[in-house]
Amino acid sequence: MTYDSLAMGERRKRILHETRKLINEEGLEGFSMRKISMRAEVAPKTLYNAFGDRDRLIGLAIREMYDAVRENVKFRTSDKTLAGLLDRAIMLNRGNLKARNYAKAVSTIYFAKDIDKDLRDILQEMAVGKTSEWLEDLRACGQLQDWVDIEHLTRHMANMEYGLILDWATGRVKDSEYLFRFVEIVLFSAMAATRGEVYETAQAMMTSMAETREVPTFQNPAIRFQNS
């Protein structure tokens, strides 16, 4: 690798890092390409040449963080099980509780009328993770309701999840209720779409939550991730 390519890689990393910091500090309202160019010490033209428009830059910054978490956090649950989906959702959304502006910005972008399709696909994948693959596995073993359209279900789940995030980020859902409501979305969806053992597991989890007002707990994952 040449010095120039290393320098370009470091510059790109710095730009994406500053993009996430600015979103978290000031939200979309205070975000501009001019501010990023100043904070990352690059010319505005460089930003546009390298990333295109503002939404694409934000999308890439969000995706880089998401990919870093996936690569550096080793969960003890399988990501194609109900427990695994909940495990990941709970951990990632605990992070949202520490980054209200960032979460608000991501959910606002998701619902934007003119959002780029590729960016929306990225955000939907971030919301539902391996849910589609899990549902396909359930269909293969007869535990998925016949009427379920997996693409539609995962899209509806993403819509509900980002709707909750936006409600929480704008003060309509309390911090103390946020994780509980998020897990509800996953469990309600599972209870509606599945049958057999998975349905019974989801129902048992929901019953326990209703009685204890506590979300399910899992073994802490092994984390090598360093914030950027």
Side-chain angles (χ1 to χ4, degrees):
M1 185 176 291
T2 66
Y3 173 80
D4 286 345
S5 62
L6 282 171
M8 288 177 62
E10 287 301 314
R11 182 173 61 186
R12 176 186 173 86
K13 183 177 180 180
R14 184 170 70 249
I15 291 169
L16 295 176
H17 172 67
E18 292 298 335
T19 296
R20 289 189 292 272
K21 281 183 62 179
L22 183 59
I23 292 171
N24 194 40
E25 290 167 9
E26 302 189 25
L28 288 181
E29 298 85 354
F31 188 93
S32 71
M33 297 291 268
R34 179 182 61 81
K35 286 184 180 179
I36 292 299
S37 68
M38 293 173 61
R39 292 173 63 135
E41 299 180 344
V42 297
K45 183 178 180 181
T46 299
L47 282 181
Y48 286 103
N49 287 342
F51 297 99
D53 59 19
R54 185 192 79 152
D55 284 354
R56 179 168 172 74
L57 171 59
I58 291 172
L60 289 170
I62 292 168
R63 181 58 186 260
E64 183 186 64
M65 178 64 77
Y66 174 72
D67 288 343
V69 170
R70 289 182 62 181
E71 292 170 5
N72 291 282
V73 179
K74 183 175 179 57
F75 289 88
R76 305 180 197 283
T77 52
S78 167
D79 58 0
K80 290 196 288 183
T81 64
L82 179 59
L85 294 172
L86 290 172
D87 192 5
R88 286 154 180 77
I90 290 169
M91 195 205 101
L92 291 171
N93 282 282
R94 286 192 195 282
N96 280 350
L97 286 167
K98 302 174 184 178
R100 187 181 299 269
N101 283 336
Y102 188 81
K104 180 182 177 182
V106 173
S107 55
T108 299
I109 293 168
Y110 179 81
F111 287 116
K113 181 179 179 181
D114 56 351
I115 184 175
D116 177 80
K117 182 183 182 302
D118 290 341
L119 176 52
R120 187 180 179 87
D121 288 346
I122 288 171
L123 296 181
Q124 182 170 325
E125 180 188 346
M126 287 170 53
V128 299
K130 298 284 188 178
T131 302
S132 293
E133 295 179 27
W134 172 62
L135 293 171
E136 292 287 2
D137 287 347
L138 293 182
R139 172 152 284 159
C141 66
Q143 293 196 63
L144 192 68
Q145 297 284 358
D146 294 338
W147 55 264
V148 173
D149 181 314
I150 291 175
E151 181 182 352
H152 289 176
L153 177 58
T154 52
R155 183 168 66 249
H156 292 324
M157 289 178 69
N159 291 347
M160 288 189 288
E161 290 173 9
Y162 279 115
L164 172 63
I165 292 170
L166 191 57
D167 276 350
W168 164 74
T170 52
R172 291 189 287 269
V173 172
K174 296 178 181 178
D175 288 8
S176 58
E177 297 177 353
Y178 174 66
L179 286 177
F180 189 95
R181 300 303 175 196
F182 204 98
V183 173
E184 271 189 334
I185 291 172
V186 179
L187 290 179
F188 286 164
S189 300
M191 290 168 64
T194 67
R195 55 191 171 205
E197 182 181 349
V198 175
Y199 168 80
E200 292 171 1
T201 299
Q203 185 180 49
M205 286 182 174
M206 195 66 254
T207 300
S208 175
M209 283 177 56
E211 293 172 349
T212 66
R213 307 305 296 175
E214 299 288 340
V215 299
T217 57
F218 303 93
Q219 283 187 292
N220 291 333
I223 301 176
R224 295 187 292 110
F225 180 62
Q226 295 181 345
N227 253 338
S228 63

